[in-house]
Amino acid sequence: MYHHIKKLMYTVNVGEPDARFGKMLLEQFGGANGELAAAMQYSIQGLNCDDPGLKDLLMDIGTEELSHLEVIGTLARMHLKPTKTSRAAADADPLIAICGGGGVSLYNSAGNAWTADYLKITGELDVDLRSNIAAEARAKIVYERLIDFCDDTGSKDALQFLMTREITHMKAFMTALAAMEKPPLAVGLIKPSPKIVDQYFNTSTGTGDQGERDLLAPWNDESSVERIDAPAFQMFADPHLGTRKAEPIDGPDLTPPTEDAAQPVQTDHAAAAARKKSSARGKAS
Amino acid sequence: MYHHIKKLMYTVNVGEPDARFGKMLLEQFGGANGELAAAMQYSIQGLNCDDPGLKDLLMDIGTEELSHLEVIGTLARMHLKPTKTSRAAADADPLIAICGGGGVSLYNSAGNAWTADYLKITGELDVDLRSNIAAEARAKIVYERLIDFCDDTGSKDALQFLMTREITHMKAFMTALAAMEKPPLAVGLIKPSPKIVDQYFNTSTGTGDQGERDLLAPWNDESSVERIDAPAFQMFADPHLGTRKAEPIDGPDLTPPTEDAAQPVQTDHAAAAARKKSSARGKAS
Amino acid sequence: MYHHIKKLMYTVNVGEPDARFGKMLLEQFGGANGELAAAMQYSIQGLNCDDPGLKDLLMDIGTEELSHLEVIGTLARMHLKPTKTSRAAADADPLIAICGGGGVSLYNSAGNAWTADYLKITGELDVDLRSNIAAEARAKIVYERLIDFCDDTGSKDALQFLMTREITHMKAFMTALAAMEKPPLAVGLIKPSPKIVDQYFNTSTGTGDQGERDLLAPWNDESSVERIDAPAFQMFADPHLGTRKAEPIDGPDLTPPTEDAAQPVQTDHAAAAARKKSSARGKAS
Amino acid sequence: MYHHIKKLMYTVNVGEPDARFGKMLLEQFGGANGELAAAMQYSIQGLNCDDPGLKDLLMDIGTEELSHLEVIGTLARMHLKPTKTSRAAADADPLIAICGGGGVSLYNSAGNAWTADYLKITGELDVDLRSNIAAEARAKIVYERLIDFCDDTGSKDALQFLMTREITHMKAFMTALAAMEKPPLAVGLIKPSPKIVDQYFNTSTGTGDQGERDLLAPWNDESSVERIDAPAFQMFADPHLGTRKAEPIDGPDLTPPTEDAAQPVQTDHAAAAARKKSSARGKAS
Amino acid sequence: MYHHIKKLMYTVNVGEPDARFGKMLLEQFGGANGELAAAMQYSIQGLNCDDPGLKDLLMDIGTEELSHLEVIGTLARMHLKPTKTSRAAADADPLIAICGGGGVSLYNSAGNAWTADYLKITGELDVDLRSNIAAEARAKIVYERLIDFCDDTGSKDALQFLMTREITHMKAFMTALAAMEKPPLAVGLIKPSPKIVDQYFNTSTGTGDQGERDLLAPWNDESSVERIDAPAFQMFADPHLGTRKAEPIDGPDLTPPTEDAAQPVQTDHAAAAARKKSSARGKAS
Amino acid sequence: MYHHIKKLMYTVNVGEPDARFGKMLLEQFGGANGELAAAMQYSIQGLNCDDPGLKDLLMDIGTEELSHLEVIGTLARMHLKPTKTSRAAADADPLIAICGGGGVSLYNSAGNAWTADYLKITGELDVDLRSNIAAEARAKIVYERLIDFCDDTGSKDALQFLMTREITHMKAFMTALAAMEKPPLAVGLIKPSPKIVDQYFNTSTGTGDQGERDLLAPWNDESSVERIDAPAFQMFADPHLGTRKAEPIDGPDLTPPTEDAAQPVQTDHAAAAARKKSSARGKAS
């Protein structure tokens, strides 16, 4: 059972309404990674859940997301209100202006109606927790982008609050997954086929227009996997592939990537992103 | 650029076609967690990707999923072919029978057309990897359920192959995420607000009809988080909640869950699931 | 802000699960006239609303519908749980079985994902109240049909409760509309064009295969409206139709319906429906 | 059977095309409350209808709406035609420009394809009439908003004609509902549960950031309903709630709203709206 | 302007209602190739059309399709009516039963709501005529399949009438396309690039599990096209591919298909289909 | 099985990114007539196909379209990249900016998610070839419009390449259809009803506001068809219309169109279009 208190979880103040920014905000109201999607995904997982501890967790966070829906909706409403009376504002979002009279509805930033196709609910608890961790990560980055495009202090405060809570939830779901003490690749009960599971299929080869190429990396080097280059052109060596009668044919140029090409430079990825971002901001302003 | 070889990645043999099972198989052809969704999610992430190593990974797996799409489609096609000529089979899936003449199309097991709303693509690499890990976990459990409902040996072989590859991919994405060496909660560049991020909002309280109740667990006990019971009825103590002027009001019965209620019994979750499943199978047969 | 209590608004007991009936129940969980549609329609109208009294009403009922969503979802979940383990049950709803592991999600009785296209939100208060009255009437009749198809006493009890509440809400919205004291046809501020507004266009004429024909009735007789027969074949007499230069042409046989054909027999409609229904039940059993 | 006359029901003249306004007009061509939605809702209700009088009414209005579809489509077409050749116009609606070559299609003002999810058809005549009354009210207000944003005299004339007809139809449906002589709350045949139907659940309490609060109003005061404050925290007193074994718990601060807070000021709502509107117009211009 | 006559274009008689067949019939009421799709596609093309002759044609056929919509809807309605009162019938189509009270709505045979995404409208007349020819061919084959699954004489008569008219329309659209006297490949005004347009890319090679292989056929032999085998592995010889700096790499085994493999045996395709069909019917009965 | 080569089928160079043009380009990435639609339509037709020659053709072109998807996606990506960092660019496509971080996803130019409802797959080979011919014609004209709105040389080159290939494919599908040597109106196996198939129903009559009127043309003159004027007002003379008991009624003014009105001037259509286009370009610039 639900009860509603007429107080926002975070008070929303808006200086100058910005209808185009209001349209962007709808992404977190009625969009794919928005608050309704979060509220419904967790609450319905909770409704289906037989484990009392996880059910409690899912209902706690699912309910909090309903309160977030109210906050982001109120914020978007404030920015979109002028679409009722100003033609210029209405041009920023004709659907809200003409259909909603300046009021919000469950659309995303392109005016698409919210759909339950956004939800990921399987009823397998560890799987659902992984979907939730990913959902929170997506919601976090979307809020960050909204903050990046926002000039209004009050709006930024509310967005910062909502963004922060996604991290809180992400951590809670990660902790819950860890508490299940399942091996990370143990999904369900049926075991994967032993040899095939350790084969990495290198199905994309050659050199791209920007110099993209095969690289050796932890996920595809021979330390942990058997690398199968261009399987479309190879006979499968493994009899577990069974009834398959594939004949060997001459394949494409598959000279293995050299060792010195190895190790993509992901380690400084965050720093690189930061550099790119701040330089971009420089350019944008 | 793509090239196609007229050989399935896994040879498909079907004994007796089962149109109702064919309809179920469509879930992995044109469904939310199916092979087209996987192929498109990874390939488009790859197309957008500026990191050469991850781009290579995304294109490798995205391309493999296209080959899986061909396998599962061929399998479903074999089971659904009788819908063209047998009215009984057609009643199992009128859309395939009447519209497709017994041929498959991009529908799920309920006949819904595939939609890109299934995809999760943010352009933030670590976030996308999390979405991919979750996607693989979902695909794995869906294949397991299909195997559980399948009587045909040839179909099971092919499904086992496809299911196995999801684990392979899940591991590759996990390895790639680990290789980025980012702290697990470091999404994007903007930091969450310090105190609020450590507060757990207990928004669902009381005792349910089946005895569901608040439980202390690693994600909500005081060792790592500050627990806020029923925030709708509390004044926020933290000034970071800013402009909010909430007054304290008398709240609901919020006697904290006792310590002996703690620790939900997730540790034997897999075993419990196995027991439930085999007993259910006993009942079902 | 929302708070959740772990107790259903109405305790749900199910005797023998009936997966096909569970699929029907989804209509009120994730369907066009279901509880999520109601909860979202009223809550978002409330969020947009500047009138404190109506906002209070909309939030009261919107929040109650969230509690109904939980009740109907729990009921459907109980009926659909066997789809996880029994192939026969799974055939009744493959999507729930394969994708949801026997758990509910936001689908209707045909497996369509819930969409915000179901909602009617205009931001014009009297208009929204009319949409809400109609929505409650639809929800009521849908619950009645579910009760008609239900054999299980516990399920019927819960459905009767939910159905009853729709009447409660319908009355509240009607009372609120009456309290606005607006003339029933005064929508918005722009007046309709005087003469045209009183013209009834008889655009469907002749006699049907079942003897359907034009009938004189309160809505189209000359006491309140000017009847324009077959306007497609008439010159408009009214200059308010303005720039239109339509020339008179000879039209179809438009001998006016005779007076004795008048007054369709709607007055005994409820009784007739009851007779038809009970006789149908006799035939059906 | 249908026949088409090559003359619009209302001649359309457009001065200067305005592509952005044309995009807005699509809302009434292929949008949720537009003419196709109206035409289909009434015509299909008519097709299903066994009552000859109401069938006649539904076919009359359903057919007229097809003629309106032609008028609004022609009007939108005139405003959107420049999108074929002018890049600036094309930027206003790329979908119409690139896909349609400047021609209209069944999209709304955000480019969403028309969907039958917009329709409300239950086959229960009094229910369908309520849906139709609400649909006409929505269409009226949408036309009013289009007129408010329109500078072109010829376009306004046509919109005024179409808007007027919505009122005509609204009145006809209201008259038909009245002619059924059913008690307003008598939907279907199953009676609501006696006591529960008269309980008003006050599920939203407290005081909002803008001072929103509980108000006594005709729909929730004790003259006609039994008011249940915060039912999530109450034991239900009524045994008709049946198997429910809810225990009383201490609830939130539920001091009843005071009498002097009563009676929201809806009575001057229209006047207030008019004031707000004209002042807004003042600001906008 | 439209006028409706209360007589079906083809009188519909149904012997024994068959709810499952009624569900199939919905494919032509609210499905992708159904009558509403046809009516809307042609009528809106007509609305956009500046050529008076083709506009006349498009409105003639578009209007006739509206009459067909009424016929197929009435037929489906008769078969689905028992879903209102019989649980067994309701299980055949819960959506029609629960939501529609046994009345039809704009769904296809899987219960998907009709969407304007089905329509193909480009505003380029010869292109639209091609889309219409294909649409009529699709509608014809769907009607044929419905007839194949139908036992009821009256239903078959009506379906035969509707199927016949699709051929009539297909011929009319073909005649109109021929009357435009455009070269068959002259679409629009911009010429294709000369050499590239004559290259056939053989992007699918090898031998399939069922012996599928490359075949020489009129569309890919050297009489009319330049055959490029496995372009992904070839340097493009043509400088018109311009800025591309692709280096030659060793490709897969591309021994050209032998001449004796040439000429697929499509010439006896219809006969083969007929044989397969009648033998299938033998098996099915 | 698929293999991917890290080289685009056509190298993409972009001078100055133009976010609004990038949004237009999405039409061919995730739109109704775009490359994914083509790739899926042909590949799945191929998967269902039992004729080895046509299967080869369908897989060849289906695979090539996947390579085109990569080209157009890369092109759109380059134009949309600035939406990540520039607010002005982000306003051009908030969905790509906020949700995709400047990366493309499967949307069309209005931000609608790609749906398999775009596909036309019937499993009847000649019918599918007709759908494919029409699909290629549509894709061609859409590329032409993109070129018309494009200022960037590199983008135009790539679009010209993609546009050219549509003509190549259109020709291949036409050749394949011709190679089947079926009479053009012989769809499926059931013959149309003899007399009815030769009747042209003139269901749209009168004179329009722009002087539109009935015209005699090759598709409706008496040389090849029997012309039935205003069938809604006529008794069907043909007993093949069977059980229909329509009575003659006086119909509308149906004076036949005069002979001198005949022959719409389609013959100079292309020239007229060219004139209109170049004059429009003159005006637009």
mmCIF file of all heavy atoms in Angstrom, chain A residues 98-123:
data_model
loop_
_atom_site.group_PDB
_atom_site.id
_atom_site.type_symbol
_atom_site.label_atom_id
_atom_site.label_comp_id
_atom_site.label_asym_id
_atom_site.label_seq_id
_atom_site.Cartn_x
_atom_site.Cartn_y
_atom_site.Cartn_z
ATOM 1 N N ILE A 98 0.624 21.791 -27.146
ATOM 2 C CA ILE A 98 -0.695 21.644 -27.765
ATOM 3 C C ILE A 98 -1.522 20.593 -27.039
ATOM 4 O O ILE A 98 -2.711 20.764 -26.795
ATOM 5 C CB ILE A 98 -0.525 21.238 -29.247
ATOM 6 C CG1 ILE A 98 0.234 22.307 -30.023
ATOM 7 C CG2 ILE A 98 -1.869 20.949 -29.900
ATOM 8 C CD1 ILE A 98 -0.465 23.612 -30.093
ATOM 9 N N CYS A 99 -0.900 19.504 -26.726
ATOM 10 C CA CYS A 99 -1.625 18.391 -26.124
ATOM 11 C C CYS A 99 -1.730 18.543 -24.619
ATOM 12 O O CYS A 99 -2.741 18.199 -24.030
ATOM 13 C CB CYS A 99 -0.862 17.094 -26.425
ATOM 14 S SG CYS A 99 -1.850 15.844 -27.199
ATOM 15 N N GLY A 100 -0.654 19.013 -23.992
ATOM 16 C CA GLY A 100 -0.603 19.025 -22.539
ATOM 17 C C GLY A 100 -0.861 20.392 -21.929
ATOM 18 O O GLY A 100 -0.889 20.498 -20.706
ATOM 19 N N GLY A 101 -1.058 21.412 -22.753
ATOM 20 C CA GLY A 101 -1.302 22.735 -22.198
ATOM 21 C C GLY A 101 -0.161 23.195 -21.307
ATOM 22 O O GLY A 101 -0.371 23.870 -20.307
ATOM 23 N N GLY A 102 1.038 22.786 -21.666
ATOM 24 C CA GLY A 102 2.198 23.187 -20.874
ATOM 25 C C GLY A 102 2.491 22.258 -19.704
ATOM 26 O O GLY A 102 3.451 22.474 -18.973
ATOM 27 N N GLY A 103 1.678 21.252 -19.540
ATOM 28 C CA GLY A 103 1.915 20.291 -18.461
ATOM 29 C C GLY A 103 2.698 19.096 -18.971
ATOM 30 O O GLY A 103 2.640 18.760 -20.150
ATOM 31 N N VAL A 104 3.416 18.450 -18.076
ATOM 32 C CA VAL A 104 4.225 17.309 -18.496
ATOM 33 C C VAL A 104 3.356 16.073 -18.674
ATOM 34 O O VAL A 104 2.243 15.982 -18.177
ATOM 35 C CB VAL A 104 5.318 16.996 -17.450
ATOM 36 C CG1 VAL A 104 6.274 18.171 -17.345
ATOM 37 C CG2 VAL A 104 4.713 16.647 -16.099
ATOM 38 N N SER A 105 3.869 15.174 -19.454
ATOM 39 C CA SER A 105 3.281 13.848 -19.519
ATOM 40 C C SER A 105 4.420 12.862 -19.720
ATOM 41 O O SER A 105 5.587 13.259 -19.767
ATOM 42 C CB SER A 105 2.241 13.767 -20.632
ATOM 43 O OG SER A 105 1.444 12.608 -20.455
ATOM 44 N N LEU A 106 4.106 11.585 -19.827
ATOM 45 C CA LEU A 106 5.155 10.577 -19.812
ATOM 46 C C LEU A 106 5.810 10.423 -21.186
ATOM 47 O O LEU A 106 5.688 9.385 -21.843
ATOM 48 C CB LEU A 106 4.618 9.245 -19.290
ATOM 49 C CG LEU A 106 4.356 9.256 -17.784
ATOM 50 C CD1 LEU A 106 3.615 8.005 -17.353
ATOM 51 C CD2 LEU A 106 5.657 9.387 -17.009
ATOM 52 N N TYR A 107 6.486 11.456 -21.618
ATOM 53 C CA TYR A 107 7.249 11.431 -22.849
ATOM 54 C C TYR A 107 8.734 11.514 -22.522
ATOM 55 O O TYR A 107 9.113 12.017 -21.469
ATOM 56 C CB TYR A 107 6.902 12.627 -23.732
ATOM 57 C CG TYR A 107 5.452 12.776 -24.042
ATOM 58 C CD1 TYR A 107 4.763 13.929 -23.683
ATOM 59 C CD2 TYR A 107 4.759 11.766 -24.703
ATOM 60 C CE1 TYR A 107 3.414 14.077 -23.975
ATOM 61 C CE2 TYR A 107 3.407 11.913 -24.990
ATOM 62 C CZ TYR A 107 2.738 13.069 -24.618
ATOM 63 O OH TYR A 107 1.410 13.219 -24.898
ATOM 64 N N ASN A 108 9.565 11.110 -23.482
ATOM 65 C CA ASN A 108 10.998 11.366 -23.341
ATOM 66 C C ASN A 108 11.356 12.672 -24.059
ATOM 67 O O ASN A 108 10.449 13.417 -24.472
ATOM 68 C CB ASN A 108 11.825 10.172 -23.854
ATOM 69 C CG ASN A 108 11.809 10.042 -25.365
ATOM 70 O OD1 ASN A 108 11.108 10.785 -26.062
ATOM 71 N ND2 ASN A 108 12.557 9.099 -25.875
ATOM 72 N N SER A 109 12.631 12.933 -24.229
ATOM 73 C CA SER A 109 13.060 14.222 -24.787
ATOM 74 C C SER A 109 12.760 14.348 -26.276
ATOM 75 O O SER A 109 12.947 15.414 -26.853
ATOM 76 C CB SER A 109 14.562 14.421 -24.557
ATOM 77 O OG SER A 109 15.295 13.419 -25.237
ATOM 78 N N ALA A 110 12.305 13.267 -26.906
ATOM 79 C CA ALA A 110 11.895 13.351 -28.308
ATOM 80 C C ALA A 110 10.375 13.230 -28.443
ATOM 81 O O ALA A 110 9.862 13.095 -29.543
ATOM 82 C CB ALA A 110 12.577 12.255 -29.128
ATOM 83 N N GLY A 111 9.661 13.252 -27.317
ATOM 84 C CA GLY A 111 8.205 13.171 -27.372
ATOM 85 C C GLY A 111 7.665 11.770 -27.536
ATOM 86 O O GLY A 111 6.472 11.597 -27.809
ATOM 87 N N ASN A 112 8.511 10.756 -27.343
ATOM 88 C CA ASN A 112 8.015 9.375 -27.416
ATOM 89 C C ASN A 112 7.331 8.989 -26.116
ATOM 90 O O ASN A 112 7.883 9.224 -25.038
ATOM 91 C CB ASN A 112 9.168 8.393 -27.655
ATOM 92 C CG ASN A 112 9.905 8.672 -28.940
ATOM 93 O OD1 ASN A 112 11.096 8.924 -28.933
ATOM 94 N ND2 ASN A 112 9.188 8.662 -30.045
ATOM 95 N N ALA A 113 6.182 8.384 -26.225
ATOM 96 C CA ALA A 113 5.457 7.920 -25.042
ATOM 97 C C ALA A 113 6.245 6.825 -24.326
ATOM 98 O O ALA A 113 6.834 5.952 -24.972
ATOM 99 C CB ALA A 113 4.083 7.394 -25.448
ATOM 100 N N TRP A 114 6.250 6.881 -23.017
ATOM 101 C CA TRP A 114 6.925 5.857 -22.206
ATOM 102 C C TRP A 114 6.347 4.489 -22.523
ATOM 103 O O TRP A 114 5.144 4.337 -22.720
ATOM 104 C CB TRP A 114 6.705 6.170 -20.723
ATOM 105 C CG TRP A 114 7.548 5.357 -19.792
ATOM 106 C CD1 TRP A 114 8.789 5.678 -19.344
ATOM 107 C CD2 TRP A 114 7.211 4.099 -19.171
ATOM 108 N NE1 TRP A 114 9.240 4.700 -18.480
ATOM 109 C CE2 TRP A 114 8.303 3.725 -18.362
ATOM 110 C CE3 TRP A 114 6.100 3.258 -19.214
ATOM 111 C CZ2 TRP A 114 8.322 2.543 -17.607
ATOM 112 C CZ3 TRP A 114 6.099 2.079 -18.485
ATOM 113 C CH2 TRP A 114 7.206 1.730 -17.685
ATOM 114 N N THR A 115 7.220 3.505 -22.573
ATOM 115 C CA THR A 115 6.773 2.144 -22.837
ATOM 116 C C THR A 115 7.458 1.174 -21.889
ATOM 117 O O THR A 115 8.632 1.357 -21.547
ATOM 118 C CB THR A 115 7.086 1.741 -24.289
ATOM 119 O OG1 THR A 115 7.076 0.308 -24.380
ATOM 120 C CG2 THR A 115 8.457 2.210 -24.744
ATOM 121 N N ALA A 116 6.726 0.153 -21.499
ATOM 122 C CA ALA A 116 7.289 -0.865 -20.613
ATOM 123 C C ALA A 116 8.366 -1.683 -21.315
ATOM 124 O O ALA A 116 9.029 -2.504 -20.675
ATOM 125 C CB ALA A 116 6.182 -1.768 -20.084
ATOM 126 N N ASP A 117 8.557 -1.468 -22.603
ATOM 127 C CA ASP A 117 9.689 -2.109 -23.294
ATOM 128 C C ASP A 117 11.029 -1.639 -22.728
ATOM 129 O O ASP A 117 12.055 -2.258 -22.991
ATOM 130 C CB ASP A 117 9.641 -1.809 -24.797
ATOM 131 C CG ASP A 117 8.562 -2.604 -25.503
ATOM 132 O OD1 ASP A 117 8.303 -3.754 -25.103
ATOM 133 O OD2 ASP A 117 7.971 -2.083 -26.458
ATOM 134 N N TYR A 118 10.999 -0.539 -21.984
ATOM 135 C CA TYR A 118 12.239 -0.067 -21.365
ATOM 136 C C TYR A 118 12.687 -0.974 -20.215
ATOM 137 O O TYR A 118 13.846 -0.952 -19.838
ATOM 138 C CB TYR A 118 12.051 1.346 -20.797
ATOM 139 C CG TYR A 118 11.756 2.427 -21.808
ATOM 140 C CD1 TYR A 118 10.951 3.511 -21.484
ATOM 141 C CD2 TYR A 118 12.310 2.397 -23.083
ATOM 142 C CE1 TYR A 118 10.700 4.541 -22.378
ATOM 143 C CE2 TYR A 118 12.053 3.416 -23.996
ATOM 144 C CZ TYR A 118 11.248 4.479 -23.638
ATOM 145 O OH TYR A 118 11.001 5.499 -24.527
ATOM 146 N N LEU A 119 11.757 -1.716 -19.644
ATOM 147 C CA LEU A 119 12.022 -2.452 -18.392
ATOM 148 C C LEU A 119 12.753 -3.763 -18.640
ATOM 149 O O LEU A 119 12.570 -4.411 -19.679
ATOM 150 C CB LEU A 119 10.710 -2.737 -17.671
ATOM 151 C CG LEU A 119 9.823 -1.530 -17.375
ATOM 152 C CD1 LEU A 119 8.597 -1.974 -16.583
ATOM 153 C CD2 LEU A 119 10.584 -0.468 -16.615
ATOM 154 N N LYS A 120 13.548 -4.158 -17.670
ATOM 155 C CA LYS A 120 14.271 -5.425 -17.703
ATOM 156 C C LYS A 120 13.925 -6.194 -16.433
ATOM 157 O O LYS A 120 14.454 -5.912 -15.356
ATOM 158 C CB LYS A 120 15.781 -5.169 -17.780
ATOM 159 C CG LYS A 120 16.223 -4.320 -18.980
ATOM 160 C CD LYS A 120 15.979 -4.998 -20.321
ATOM 161 C CE LYS A 120 16.455 -4.173 -21.501
ATOM 162 N NZ LYS A 120 16.012 -4.751 -22.797
ATOM 163 N N ILE A 121 13.019 -7.121 -16.548
ATOM 164 C CA ILE A 121 12.521 -7.888 -15.406
ATOM 165 C C ILE A 121 12.509 -9.355 -15.794
ATOM 166 O O ILE A 121 11.765 -9.744 -16.694
ATOM 167 C CB ILE A 121 11.081 -7.440 -15.036
ATOM 168 C CG1 ILE A 121 11.065 -5.963 -14.664
ATOM 169 C CG2 ILE A 121 10.514 -8.298 -13.920
ATOM 170 C CD1 ILE A 121 9.662 -5.394 -14.442
ATOM 171 N N THR A 122 13.355 -10.169 -15.148
ATOM 172 C CA THR A 122 13.392 -11.592 -15.521
ATOM 173 C C THR A 122 12.928 -12.518 -14.410
ATOM 174 O O THR A 122 12.714 -13.693 -14.652
ATOM 175 C CB THR A 122 14.825 -12.026 -15.885
ATOM 176 O OG1 THR A 122 15.628 -12.013 -14.694
ATOM 177 C CG2 THR A 122 15.439 -11.128 -16.934
ATOM 178 N N GLY A 123 12.839 -12.004 -13.198
ATOM 179 C CA GLY A 123 12.463 -12.888 -12.106
ATOM 180 C C GLY A 123 13.610 -13.758 -11.601
ATOM 181 O O GLY A 123 13.421 -14.550 -10.679
#
